[in-house]
Amino acid sequence: MSKVAGMFSRILWFLAAVLVVYQAVSYVTFYNYLLAPTVKQISHLLANQVKLIFPVGSGQLALDDDGEALIYVATGSDIYTQLEAKKHGLAAAKPYAYLEENLSRELGGPTKVRVEIQNHYIIWIQPPQANQLWVRIPLTEIEDDDIEPLIIYLTVLLAITLFAAWRFARQLVRPLEELEAGAVAVAKGHFPDALGEQGSREVRRLTRTFNHMSYSIQELIAERNLMMAGVSHDLRTPLTRIRLATEMMSSGDEYLRGCINADIDESNAIIDQFIDYIRPDEGLDTHPIDLTQLIHDVLLMYTEQGAEVELALPTEAVWVACNPVSVRRVLSNLAGNSLRYGASRLHAELQEDSHWVRLRLSDDGPGIAEQDYDRVLKPFTQGNLARTNGGSGLGLAIVAKIVAQHHGTIKLGHAELGGLLVEIRLPKHQPLVWQD
């Protein structure tokens, strides 16, 4: 389906269809205006020659030897009986229905016509006036070799036309393929050199616009990274000074020092989340990992924090092409959010088919209102409960971004445990290009 839907295939099929229609129209035109009139004229001449030998209505059934000799000298035709005709080549001749119809109409009765091909064409005619005899008429001016150059010419013309159509379609589509490859690279965070402006005027304009867009995005990302590096440095510097200042507070202010340090840690965590979220996608380093083992290792660590973890995982390894650091971050964010907002039980279930894996992670926390499912996956948004507990509102947004980078999907719902259900669907093999 994808091959037929491609522009190159469509153009090639269109040009081939036009060529076929053109050939069909040319054949019909050639047949109606050249071949059919020629055959009719030949039929008329053959009928007149037969009438000269066997006049219509004469009742003549045979000629003597002198008459046959005179006919042969005058017209080059021979007259044979059925047995003699078979000896002289009638057995190798083939019927020709169109000539039979024309000659039957010209001679006023059913006529048999056979065509023998040697170096030239030989017409065998059995007229209604002498249905026991065959008239052998050689057409020495029409040779079989006369048709071969025409066939070769048409074959060469067809091959040249198909090659020209393929070449034209290739030249037309190649700039678009390069543009597609460049767009895929930009979407993955790689910025190629400026594409060559070639092809039609519209394609050249599109390529020029794409090059400008790619350069603008690259500059924007560079400026954003520089700004975030500066903001991170400028914010962490006073936070570090504040932490150092708290170390010089008296022991009687231990409670106040602990609160200040907790706020400093939360501020640093928020800064880290900001940087993680806006970090450009420069292409994930993916390779097959055992997702079952990864889920087992990450979630069991939360038992040390007092969580009750239930794992419904396959007994065999489930290999998925992904970035293990990013997937570990997804699991940590989801589990950490659940425990932060009051959950005490975590349940993880992993299923697979031939192309996809599905992870369902649920908890017994307060959950999220259904009308907020789509909203909380966006950056800097939180559920009503989360607003009272602090946070940056980037935890689920980072999860959604990582899942999208892996060409997967994420869906929120209500868990059987009473809390939030997060269902993540990932492909087992990462696609090399964007799929239709």
Side-chain angles (χ1 to χ4, degrees):
M1 179 65 179
S2 60
K3 293 184 176 297
V4 178
M7 178 174 288
F8 175 73
S9 299
R10 291 187 178 186
I11 293 176
L12 198 58
W13 277 109
F14 172 76
L15 294 177
V18 171
L19 179 61
V20 169
V21 172
Y22 171 76
Q23 293 281 10
V25 172
S26 299
Y27 174 77
V28 172
T29 303
F30 172 78
Y31 180 82
N32 289 334
Y33 293 97
L34 182 61
L35 183 60
T38 302
V39 174
K40 288 181 180 179
Q41 183 66 30
I42 292 175
S43 301
H44 180 70
L45 295 176
L46 292 174
N48 288 339
Q49 194 164 339
V50 172
K51 290 177 183 178
L52 178 64
I53 301 173
F54 301 107
V56 177
S58 64
Q60 182 180 354
L61 298 179
L63 295 175
D64 53 22
D65 293 339
D66 293 337
E68 291 183 5
L70 181 62
I71 291 296
Y72 179 78
V73 172
T75 64
S77 302
D78 292 308
I79 301 174
Y80 297 111
T81 63
Q82 184 73 26
L83 184 58
E84 292 172 341
K86 289 183 178 181
K87 293 180 180 180
H88 287 82
L90 177 63
K94 297 181 180 180
Y96 200 124
Y98 189 70
L99 276 178
E100 284 188 351
E101 294 177 3
N102 289 337
L103 288 173
S104 296
R105 187 166 50 252
E106 291 275 354
L107 297 176
T111 303
K112 293 182 180 179
V113 178
R114 301 290 184 270
V115 178
E116 180 186 355
I117 301 177
Q118 296 181 1
N119 293 331
H120 53 272
Y121 286 87
I122 299 174
I123 310 299
W124 292 85
I125 302 174
Q126 189 177 74
Q129 292 84 359
N131 54 16
Q132 299 298 322
L133 300 176
W134 284 91
V135 180
R136 182 181 182 273
I137 304 176
L139 301 180
T140 56
E141 299 301 321
I142 303 179
E143 298 181 359
D144 187 42
D145 293 340
D146 295 338
I147 305 298
E148 292 183 2
L150 178 61
I151 296 176
I152 295 174
Y153 169 76
L154 292 177
T155 303
V156 172
L157 179 62
L158 178 62
I160 293 176
T161 305
L162 287 177
F163 175 78
W166 175 85
R167 184 73 176 175
F168 172 75
R170 184 75 269 170
Q171 292 293 332
L172 188 63
V173 173
R174 181 179 289 113
L176 296 178
E177 291 179 344
E178 295 177 355
L179 192 61
E180 179 193 14
V184 171
V186 170
K188 292 182 177 181
H190 304 290
F191 294 91
D193 296 334
L195 302 179
E197 299 178 10
Q198 54 184 342
S200 63
R201 181 178 58 184
E202 293 80 6
V203 174
R204 293 198 304 271
R205 288 178 177 176
L206 180 61
T207 304
R208 190 179 306 121
T209 303
F210 172 80
N211 289 334
H212 179 71
M213 179 196 69
S214 176
Y215 176 78
S216 300
I217 294 176
Q218 191 173 7
E219 289 294 314
L220 180 63
I221 291 177
E223 291 177 2
R224 185 184 66 175
N225 293 339
L226 180 62
M227 182 186 68
M228 283 306 302
V231 170
S232 174
H233 177 269
D234 292 343
L235 288 178
R236 291 184 193 275
T237 299
L239 289 175
T240 302
R241 289 200 300 266
I242 294 173
R243 187 183 294 277
L244 291 174
T246 59
E247 297 299 327
M248 293 182 283
M249 295 175 65
S250 63
S251 59
D253 296 326
E254 186 68 28
Y255 175 76
L256 179 60
R257 178 167 54 189
C259 292
I260 294 175
N261 286 333
D263 289 338
I264 292 174
D265 292 337
E266 183 178 357
S267 297
N268 282 322
I270 291 175
I271 293 172
D272 290 337
Q273 283 190 327
F274 284 167
I275 295 175
D276 286 341
Y277 184 77
I278 69 169
R279 180 177 289 116
D281 178 15
E282 297 180 351
L284 292 175
D285 181 16
T286 62
H287 57 272
I289 65 168
D290 181 5
L291 189 59
T292 302
Q293 188 65 42
L294 181 62
I295 296 173
H296 180 274
D297 295 343
V298 172
L299 295 186
L300 283 187
M301 291 191 303
Y302 289 90
T303 57
E304 300 176 359
Q305 302 180 20
E308 181 182 347
V309 179
E310 301 173 359
L311 301 178
L313 305 177
T315 57
E316 299 180 354
V318 176
W319 296 96
V320 178
C322 63
N323 182 275
V325 176
S326 298
V327 175
R328 185 181 293 270
R329 181 67 180 274
V330 168
L331 297 172
S332 299
N333 276 18
L334 293 177
N337 278 356
S338 297
L339 299 182
R340 182 182 305 149
Y341 299 122
S344 60
R345 293 176 58 192
L346 295 175
H347 179 81
E349 178 185 357
L350 182 64
Q351 298 177 348
E352 66 169 329
D353 57 30
S354 57
H355 300 290
W356 297 86
V357 294
R358 186 179 67 173
L359 170 64
R360 294 166 59 91
L361 186 63
S362 55
D363 59 48
D364 62 346
I368 298 176
E370 184 176 353
Q371 62 270 20
D372 292 335
Y373 286 165
D374 293 333
R375 187 176 62 84
V376 296
L377 294 177
K378 299 177 181 178
F380 308 112
T381 57
Q382 297 174 308
N384 293 328
L385 180 62
R387 293 172 183 170
T388 63
N389 292 337
S392 62
L394 286 174
L396 288 177
I398 292 174
V399 170
K401 181 180 180 181
I402 294 175
V403 171
Q405 290 173 348
H406 285 80
H407 302 91
T409 60
I410 181 172
K411 183 172 64 174
L412 305 184
H414 181 72
E416 294 181 359
L417 297 178
L420 179 66
L421 168 66
V422 181
E423 181 176 307
I424 296 175
R425 192 164 166 260
L426 296 175
K428 285 188 172 182
H429 307 283
Q430 292 296 313
L432 297 179
V433 297
W434 297 103
Q435 302 295 325
D436 292 335

